[in-house]
Amino acid sequence: MKKIILIEDESSVVSFIKKGLQELDFEVSVAFDGNTGISMVEENDFDLIILDIMLPGINGLDVCKEIRKNNKNIPILFLTALSSSENIVLGLESGGDDYLVKPFKFIELVARIKSLLRRSHQNNLETTEVINENIYQFSDVTVNDYTKKVIRGGEEISLTSTEYKLLLYFLNNPEKVISRAEILDAVWGVNYELGTNVVDVYVNYLRKKLDNQEENKIIHTVIGMGYVLKNS
């Protein structure tokens, strides 16, 4: 049975989600504020976190950042009424894996949960199976997918979880022109329009860290089609 923690302060939302997920054989724990949620995540082994942003005390973005300090892999799904492009990007940038806006359909929440759990399971299997074959290299960029270290030109580069996933997807598809829809599906696990330019935002974040000081740019825009990883 998969264990989910719901960090949410609206009792009606908690009741609705908890009842529905329990009927689908999920084990659901609840925290009504951010600090309690952080403590419960530290003390228990959950498979997924559903996290509101507007919480009493510490907000959901800071909760996510705090959890990510010690737990890089647990899937985090933001569930919030804040629907602007800026809030979506902030949620993903803080370490969230997906973002669902209230009001929502329960069937969509379940689909998001199953997608995140499936990706998490696949990632764990791959880490085990490729433990000695996990080095990616393109040009002067080297990525160790076991230690999650990224090196370019001999210098270590610090990436967020989402930036790392994006780079890894590029490295697995060198020289291929990849559409924004393909990137969205592969990195965020969704194939719908988020209503924001989140792909372009994260490609730019990655470029600034990888290409900013380098003469040989490796992430290129293909106008009207998407992006490609190739040497200049």
Side-chain angles (χ1 to χ4, degrees):
M1 180 181 291
K2 295 295 185 181
K3 298 172 62 176
I4 294 175
I5 180 170
L6 172 61
I7 307 175
E8 165 68 63
D9 66 322
E10 293 184 48
S11 57
S12 59
V13 175
V14 169
S15 177
F16 169 67
I17 293 176
K18 185 174 182 179
K19 182 176 183 296
L21 292 180
Q22 285 177 334
E23 289 177 355
L24 294 174
D25 291 328
F26 289 103
E27 181 180 329
V28 182
S29 300
V30 177
F32 288 95
D33 63 81
N35 287 317
T36 301
I38 292 170
S39 297
M40 290 176 67
V41 171
E42 290 176 346
E43 296 169 2
N44 297 274
D45 185 18
F46 293 106
D47 296 293
L48 182 137
I49 299 169
I50 301 174
L51 176 61
D52 189 15
I53 289 182
M54 301 293 288
L55 293 168
I58 180 173
N59 67 55
L61 297 176
D62 289 333
V63 170
C64 184
K65 292 175 184 176
E66 189 65 27
I67 290 172
R68 283 290 181 239
K69 289 180 181 178
N70 299 312
N71 195 324
K72 303 293 185 184
N73 298 320
I74 186 170
I76 298 178
L77 169 62
F78 276 110
L79 186 65
T80 179
L82 300 175
S83 59
S84 71
S85 298
E86 291 78 9
N87 282 311
I88 293 174
V89 171
L90 281 173
L92 297 173
E93 189 175 18
S94 70
D97 297 286
D98 202 353
Y99 196 109
L100 185 59
V101 176
K102 301 175 185 176
F104 59 90
K105 294 181 179 179
F106 184 72
I107 190 172
E108 184 176 5
L109 173 64
V110 173
R112 302 289 188 90
I113 289 171
K114 289 182 176 179
S115 174
L116 288 172
L117 289 173
R118 185 168 57 251
R119 286 163 52 199
S120 177
H121 177 66
Q122 290 171 345
N123 287 340
N124 289 337
L125 288 177
E126 289 166 3
T127 300
T128 301
E129 292 173 356
V130 299
I131 191 168
N132 293 316
E133 301 174 6
N134 51 10
I135 307 298
Y136 293 82
Q137 187 157 6
F138 184 89
S139 185
D140 59 345
V141 176
T142 302
V143 175
N144 186 321
D145 194 34
Y146 183 61
T147 63
K148 308 301 181 187
K149 285 188 176 181
V150 179
I151 306 290
R152 180 159 199 196
E155 295 186 5
E156 185 171 346
I157 298 171
S158 177
L159 299 181
T160 66
S161 173
T162 303
E163 290 165 353
Y164 181 85
K165 292 176 185 176
L166 179 58
L167 174 58
L168 208 58
Y169 185 59
F170 275 126
L171 290 171
N172 277 293
N173 296 275
E175 308 291 340
K176 176 187 175 183
V177 177
I178 308 170
S179 70
R180 289 169 176 81
E182 288 175 308
I183 294 172
L184 195 61
D185 183 48
V187 177
W188 283 271
V190 292
N191 55 10
Y192 59 93
E193 178 56 55
L194 277 175
T196 178
N197 60 341
V198 64
V199 171
D200 301 294
V201 168
Y202 270 90
V203 169
N204 284 333
Y205 286 163
L206 191 56
R207 277 173 165 163
K208 287 178 180 178
K209 293 184 177 182
L210 282 181
D211 284 348
N212 194 37
Q213 303 298 326
E214 303 292 334
E215 293 183 1
N216 178 29
K217 311 298 182 184
I218 60 173
I219 300 175
H220 303 269
T221 301
V222 181
I223 297 174
M225 299 181 70
Y227 297 96
V228 62
L229 182 75
K230 67 176 184 179
N231 285 305
S232 298

